[in-house]
Every structure is written in C-alpha cells, then in structure tokens.
C-alpha cells in the first residue's frame, strides 16, 4: 500500500469517528432526546463539530492530500483509494475555506434554527421563523462566497453539493419538460380521482398490528435485522454509521393505514442501499450512497414503482387483509390499488401522491432560485409560496404550518436538496424500464420473490457506494445518462392504464 495513503488513512479514521458520533447524536435528537435538551445538547454538538473540523482541516491532511494528488503518487493508488482522494478533495474544499470559529458558530446555530422552525411550525406562524431563516441564508451565501470562483453562481454550487452534474441549466430543462407533460395529466387524473372512496384507509387500525406488519414488510423487502433497527420519529428518516448499523424510523397513525406502510417501504429502500455498500468501502469517506438523488431513486423505486404496483400487492395484499380482516374484508385488491394510487393536489409534500409530488419540488426549486438570485425578500416567502401552490396545484395552504413551514430542510441549511428528490424519481423510472427489458420483473413480484430484483440493484448500484456518481452508474448499467423521458413515460402509462384515461 502507498505510504502516503497509509498516513492519510489514520486521519480519515478519526474524521470518520467524529462523523459517526455526530450521526448518533442526530439520531438521538430525532428519536429519543427530550424536547428541552436542545439548548444544552447543541453546545456539545458544536464542540464535536469543531473537533471534526480540526481533524479534517489541518496542515497535515492538506499536505498528504496534495502529495497524493500528484501524478506520480496518484497512479500507484488502487481504484478505491483514488475515489477516496477525489472525495476528500471535495469535502475538504467544502469546508476548508470557512474559518474555524465561523464553522463552529454555524453548527450551533443550525441546531437552534431547527428548534426555532419547530416552534414556528407549531404556532403556524412563518414570521416567527423569518429572523432565523434570514441568518441561515446569509450563512449559506457567505460560506459559498469563500469557495466560489468568478462566474460560478451560488445556487449552482448548492445544487451540485447534492447532485454532481445537475446545475440550473440542466434542471431548468428537466423541470420544464415535466411541467409541459404532466400538468394536463394531473388535471385529468385528479378529476377521475374525485369519485374514489378511500374511507377504508381511515378506519381504526391497531398501532401494534401496524408495527408488526410494517416490520414484516421491511424484512420481506430485504431489511437485514442483524444490521439494522427500526425506531420512531415524527418524520421518518434513514441514517447509518456503517453498512452494519443502519437505522430507519417510522410514524404511526391509528386512522391512516397507508402512511406507515409506505414510509416503511420508502425507508427500507434507503436502508437496503446502505446495508449493501461493500465492506471495503463502508466507514470510509465514500462509504454511503452515491448521491442524494441516487439514494432517493432507491427509496422511491421500492415505495412507488414496486410498492404501488398491482403485481407487488397480488402477493402482499392477502397478508395485509389477514392482519386487518375486519377493516379490509370488503375491500378488493383492485379497490385497494386504486386507493393507494389516488391522485389529487394537496398542500403537504410528504403526503403527496406520486403524480403531483414533482410539483412540490418544482415550487421549492423555483423559490430557492429566487432566494439565491436575490429576487425575493425573506419576509415575502410565505406569500410567494402560496401563490405558486395556487398556480401549479390549484390550492392554497390553510396556514404556514402546512405551507412554507412544512419541511425541515431550510431550517437546517439544506438549500439545493429538494431537486434531488425529483432526480431520484427520474432515475427510478429509468432503471425500471431497463430492468423490465432484461428480467421477468412483474412475475418476480407476483411470486413474492424480491431477491433477484434486490440483488440486481445491489450489484449494479449499492455496492459501489460513492465510487461512481449518478451518471457514471447509469452509463455503466444501461449505456445512457439520466433522461427525464422515462419518468414522463412511466407516469403517462401508469395512470392511463389505472384510470382508463382516454375512454
Ligand atoms: Zn427518502
């Protein structure tokens, strides 16, 4: 092994340990920690973040990195090591330009900003959150200005932090195509959906039984309980320390059966990705999913493409009926399938159906663009938000809590993140059409045989971690980069068939 790389590895292991400690803190804050602990915990988080910063940004790491980047040294590295050096350079540049004190202040501030957002959301009052949001935006602009070169646009840098190769130029076209194709479809489908009776979903469903069913479902899809646990939180999420410690959460509502089921499938999709990153890569800087978009493609592949298909429920629905015989005895499989695919514009993103979902993302993308191009005042964002919901979805949120305050992302400083959800949907559709062309996809689902589908994803996507980016994965797999056309085709085909459109 390369001697310089060996020295760097010692530093990387320390950096990794701080990352894992912070991840564990975050898991605890979102699942178990008492409400009032935040002001006290945020101090420790600030200190740990500072230690992380010092372990990463220092003269020794910089020199080792620079040495490894010389042609002579770089050529002696194996492919994993090369990928680690590349990723380290990206991470290093991402924070090295931020002065240490500012980085620490920011880490403390962002934990507090989240609790400010929580309170404002509870009080349904955007104005309460405005000062923190302004400060957060200023932090982001300042941090980006430290590493931005002349012509680069701030929002492009934010976008590429989440998804390499997807700047405004690419995303403007991506979203325009979706708007053009899907706005008429949304209208048609929501008209048809008006007559669908879904009252079965809102009967009383015992929470303990929901938990047992969801646990079975996660296992059925491939969640490995020796490498993972399932907890509870207000908003379901996935996190992990390594490929042997993957944690997901769910939330349960007695009068909404679907909510927990689809959250379970979604988070299991994320978990399967992390559990199957190769052992060689886990606990290294490239040991996670390739990108946010690629991660979302996997959760949505399971949640929507598999989880909302007829073939999947042919095997699974009898088990659900056996769990809730009273509530579901008169609901046929076809009625259930129409029910889970009902589509109607609604104000809340995470409750949106597959078809209207992308419009929630388009709205956020357009607003973020306005923010970072200085085209809107933070005080006016709630109004802009509601106007865009009226424009694209024909509805106006009743209050800020189900409007602009619904998502945690901006409170934590995650600007540029949302579009990766839409990219994820598009990747999932593209992979789906490819898989259908090479394997009896629906047949596997009907037989209750998820294994070949999961193994295909494991060996073509999951195992590589961040060794390849989104377009490299897609190109190696199907000789084609991301194209939004598959997603549009998928939506059209699915809803035309399901709702007999055109008849
Ligand atoms: Zn997700």
């Amino acid at each position: 092994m390369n001697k310089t790389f060996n020295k760097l590895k010692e530093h990387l292991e320390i950096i990794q340990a701080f990352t894992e400690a912070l991840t564990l803190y975050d898991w605890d804050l979102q699942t178990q920690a008492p409400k009032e602990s935040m002001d006290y915990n945020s101090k420790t988080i600030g200190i740990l973040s500072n230690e992380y910063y010092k372990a990463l940004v220092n003269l020794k790491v910089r020199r080792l990195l620079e040495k490894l980047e010389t042609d002579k040294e770089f050529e002696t590295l194996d492919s994993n090591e090369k990928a680690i050096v590349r990723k380290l350079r990206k991470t290093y540049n991402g924070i090295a330009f931020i002065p240490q004190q500012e980085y620490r202040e920011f880490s403390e501030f962002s934990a507090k900003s989240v609790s400010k957002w929580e309170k404002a959301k509870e009080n349904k009052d955007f104005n309460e959150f405005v000062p923190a949001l302004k400060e957060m935006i200023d932090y982001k602009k300042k941090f980006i200005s430290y590493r931005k070169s002349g012509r680069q646009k701030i929002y492009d840098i934010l976008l590429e932090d989440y998804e390499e190769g997807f700047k405004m130029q690419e995303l403007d076209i991506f979203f325009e195509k979706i708007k053009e194709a899907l706005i008429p479809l949304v209208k048609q489908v929501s008209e048809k959906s008006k007559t669908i009776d879904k009252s079965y979903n809102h009967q009383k469903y015992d929470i303990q039984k929901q938990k047992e069913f969801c646990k079975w479902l996660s296992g059925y899809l491939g969640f490995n309980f020796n490498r993972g646990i399932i907890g509870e939180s207000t908003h379901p999420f996935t996190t992990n320390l390594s490929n042997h410690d993957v944690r997901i959460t769910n939330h349960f509502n007695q009068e909404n059966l679907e909510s927990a089921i689809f959250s379970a499938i979604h988070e299991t999709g994320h978990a399967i990705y992390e559990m199957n990153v190769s052992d060689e890569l886990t606990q290294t800087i490239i040991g996670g999913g390739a990108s946010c978009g690629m991660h979302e493609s996997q959760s949505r592949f399971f949640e929507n493409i598999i989880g909302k298909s007829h073939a999947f429920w042919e095997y699974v629905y009898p088990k659900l009926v056996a769990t809730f015989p009273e509530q579901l005895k008169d609901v046929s499989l076809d009625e259930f399938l129409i029910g889970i695919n009902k589509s109607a514009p609604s104000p809340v993103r995470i409750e949106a159906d597959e078809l209207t979902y992308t419009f929630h993302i388009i709205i956020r993308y357009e607003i973020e663009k306005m923010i970072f191009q200085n085209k809107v005042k933070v005080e006016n964002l709630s109004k802009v938000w509601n106007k865009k919901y009226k424009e694209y979805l024909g509805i106006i949120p009743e209050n800020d809590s189900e409007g602009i305050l619904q998502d945690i992302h901006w409170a934590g400083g995650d600007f540029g993140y949302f579009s990766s959800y839409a990219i994820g949907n598009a990747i999932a559709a593209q992979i789906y059409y490819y898989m259908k062309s090479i394997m009896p996809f629906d047949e596997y689902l009907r037989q209750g045989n998820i294994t070949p589908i999961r193994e295909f994803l494991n060996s073509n996507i999951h195992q590589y971690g961040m060794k390849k980016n989104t377009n490299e994965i897609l190109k190696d797999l199907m000789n084609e980069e991301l194209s939004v056309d598959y997603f549009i085709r998928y939506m059209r085909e699915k809803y035309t068939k399901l709702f007999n459109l055109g008849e």
Side-chain angles (χ1 to χ4, degrees):
M1 193 190 251
N2 179 302
K3 270 188 195 161
T4 318
F5 190 84
N6 248 350
K7 277 188 203 154
L8 180 69
K9 215 176 146 196
E10 287 168 25
H11 293 274
L12 290 176
E13 278 170 1
I14 296 168
I15 294 165
Q16 180 65 22
F18 283 117
T19 307
E20 287 180 26
L22 285 162
T23 305
L24 207 48
Y25 235 115
D26 185 54
W27 163 265
D28 187 64
L29 285 173
Q30 294 197 56
T31 54
Q32 302 273 351
K35 250 189 188 171
E36 289 184 12
S37 66
M38 183 42 101
D39 283 345
Y40 296 81
N41 286 337
S42 65
K43 192 179 162 200
T44 311
I45 292 170
I47 291 170
L48 279 174
S49 305
N50 191 44
E51 291 304 312
Y52 164 81
Y53 180 98
K54 285 196 292 188
L56 175 63
V57 183
N58 60 63
L59 204 59
K60 278 184 190 158
V61 170
R62 202 181 90 195
R63 290 214 171 118
L64 291 168
L65 184 57
E66 280 167 357
K67 197 172 171 199
L68 285 165
E69 285 171 327
T70 59
D71 289 347
K72 203 178 117 205
E73 294 262 349
F74 196 73
E75 271 160 29
T76 67
L77 302 177
D78 67 29
S79 63
N80 290 346
E81 292 163 353
K82 281 179 182 162
I84 287 170
V85 167
R86 272 192 226 109
K87 174 70 183 170
L88 180 61
R89 170 52 71 196
K90 230 187 141 185
T91 311
Y92 192 90
N93 286 355
I95 75 168
F97 298 115
I98 303 169
Q100 188 178 343
Q101 183 59 23
E102 276 182 31
Y103 185 77
R104 180 170 171 174
E105 280 164 14
F106 173 74
S107 305
E108 276 184 47
F109 166 73
S110 68
K112 280 184 193 154
S113 161
V114 168
S115 69
K116 288 253 163 60
W117 161 77
E118 269 170 355
K119 277 186 200 130
K121 191 182 175 194
E122 228 174 87
N123 298 334
K124 305 182 170 90
D125 184 7
F126 177 64
N127 291 330
E128 273 183 39
F129 181 52
V130 167
L133 183 57
K134 268 188 178 168
E135 199 174 339
M136 182 54 89
I137 292 167
D138 288 343
Y139 262 121
K140 287 307 235 192
K141 286 181 179 167
K142 187 163 71 174
F143 288 170
I144 298 291
S145 74
Y146 291 148
R147 65 176 156 129
K148 143 179 155 38
S149 66
R151 290 199 314 274
Q152 273 183 309
K153 298 189 175 89
I154 291 181
Y155 192 45
D156 276 343
I157 297 176
L158 288 166
L159 288 169
E160 282 213 292
D161 279 348
Y162 296 102
E163 197 65 62
E164 233 175 74
F166 293 87
K167 295 195 280 286
M168 283 184 272
Q169 202 184 350
E170 288 81 20
L171 285 170
D172 282 348
I173 299 168
F174 179 89
F175 286 128
E176 275 314 312
K177 277 191 173 178
I178 293 179
K179 276 198 241 175
E180 198 188 308
L182 298 191
I183 285 177
L185 190 64
V186 167
K187 282 207 180 103
Q188 268 183 303
V189 173
S190 50
E191 199 50 47
K192 284 254 179 183
S193 282
K194 277 182 186 157
T195 54
I196 298 169
D197 176 18
K198 258 184 88 164
S199 52
Y200 70 85
N201 187 50
H202 305 292
Q203 305 171 76
K204 280 211 157 57
Y205 290 92
D206 178 68
I207 286 184
Q208 197 48 41
K209 280 190 181 167
Q210 285 194 46
K211 279 185 192 172
E212 279 161 27
F213 181 78
C214 286
K215 192 179 172 195
W216 171 81
L217 197 53
S218 291
Y220 170 67
L221 293 168
F223 189 91
N224 179 345
F225 286 93
N226 294 320
R227 292 182 172 204
I229 55 166
I230 302 177
E232 283 182 53
S233 64
T234 325
H235 293 293
F237 69 99
T238 302
T239 191
N240 73 305
L241 305 183
S242 69
N243 64 356
H244 281 61
D245 188 343
V246 181
R247 301 163 184 230
I248 65 174
T249 65
N250 203 347
H251 60 174
F252 297 91
N253 176 345
Q254 208 178 10
E255 280 153 30
N256 188 346
L257 175 65
E258 269 177 26
S259 172
I261 288 179
F262 288 102
S263 293
I265 303 178
H266 181 97
E267 301 308 330
T268 299
H270 281 304
I272 287 171
Y273 196 159
E274 291 296 338
M275 284 170 172
N276 290 288
V277 168
S278 86
D279 285 343
E280 278 178 26
L281 302 181
T282 196
Q283 286 191 306
T284 73
I285 198 165
I286 55 167
S291 68
C292 298
M294 194 45 101
H295 235 301
E296 280 302 311
S297 82
Q298 298 307 287
S299 56
R300 276 144 207 274
F301 188 83
F302 279 96
E303 180 191 355
N304 293 327
I305 291 181
I306 291 183
K308 291 194 176 139
S309 71
H310 199 282
F312 174 77
W313 285 101
E314 279 178 44
Y315 184 81
V316 176
Y317 192 56
K319 296 188 186 336
L320 185 62
V321 177
T323 311
F324 298 107
E326 269 309 301
Q327 295 91 326
L328 296 174
K329 64 178 187 294
D330 296 327
V331 183
S332 71
L333 171 58
D334 284 342
E335 282 171 279
F336 179 76
L337 201 80
I338 290 281
I340 60 176
N341 283 297
K342 181 177 177 169
S343 167
S346 63
V348 178
R349 177 184 63 88
I350 57 166
E351 286 160 18
D353 58 81
E354 214 180 339
L355 177 58
T356 57
Y357 186 88
T358 312
F359 290 92
H360 293 264
I361 302 305
I362 291 173
I363 290 167
R364 286 154 179 77
Y365 171 73
E366 291 181 352
I367 291 179
E368 288 184 347
K369 249 173 84 172
M370 290 167 79
I371 292 174
F372 290 97
Q373 294 178 336
N374 302 317
K375 286 186 179 158
V376 65
K377 275 191 174 161
V378 176
E379 288 85 349
N380 294 335
L381 283 178
S382 172
K383 273 187 210 134
V384 175
W385 181 280
N386 292 347
K387 221 178 125 195
K388 287 201 179 281
Y389 266 81
K390 179 87 185 119
E391 184 188 344
Y392 290 124
L393 291 166
I395 50 170
I396 297 173
E398 262 180 34
N399 54 57
D400 290 336
S401 174
E402 63 163 49
I404 191 164
L405 292 175
Q406 63 182 276
D407 296 306
I408 191 172
H409 302 61
W410 292 347
D414 290 327
F415 296 94
Y417 191 131
F418 284 116
S419 49
S420 66
Y421 294 127
I423 293 170
N425 281 331
I427 298 171
Q430 192 163 348
I431 294 171
Y432 167 64
Y433 281 109
Y434 180 73
M435 287 176 80
K436 261 180 43 149
S437 75
I438 58 157
M439 63 170 75
F441 193 85
D442 285 353
E443 205 44 47
Y444 285 147
L445 292 178
R446 268 186 215 109
Q447 294 161 356
N449 184 12
I450 304 285
T451 311
I453 294 173
R454 192 183 58 246
E455 281 177 351
F456 177 88
L457 299 170
N458 292 162
S459 62
N460 289 292
I461 300 170
H462 305 161
Q463 61 152 328
Y464 295 110
M466 293 179 205
K467 235 175 130 171
K468 305 182 189 179
N469 72 22
T470 296
N471 273 330
E472 284 165 350
I473 289 173
L474 295 179
K475 258 181 126 173
D476 287 350
L477 180 58
M478 55 189 106
N479 210 9
E480 195 182 3
E481 292 197 338
L482 180 69
S483 157
V484 71
D485 299 344
Y486 294 98
F487 174 67
I488 291 169
R489 176 179 161 197
Y490 166 74
M491 285 298 170
R492 280 188 176 141
E493 283 182 4
K494 172 171 179 166
Y495 284 98
T496 305
K497 195 170 165 217
L498 206 61
F499 290 94
N500 299 317
L501 300 177
E503 273 182 16

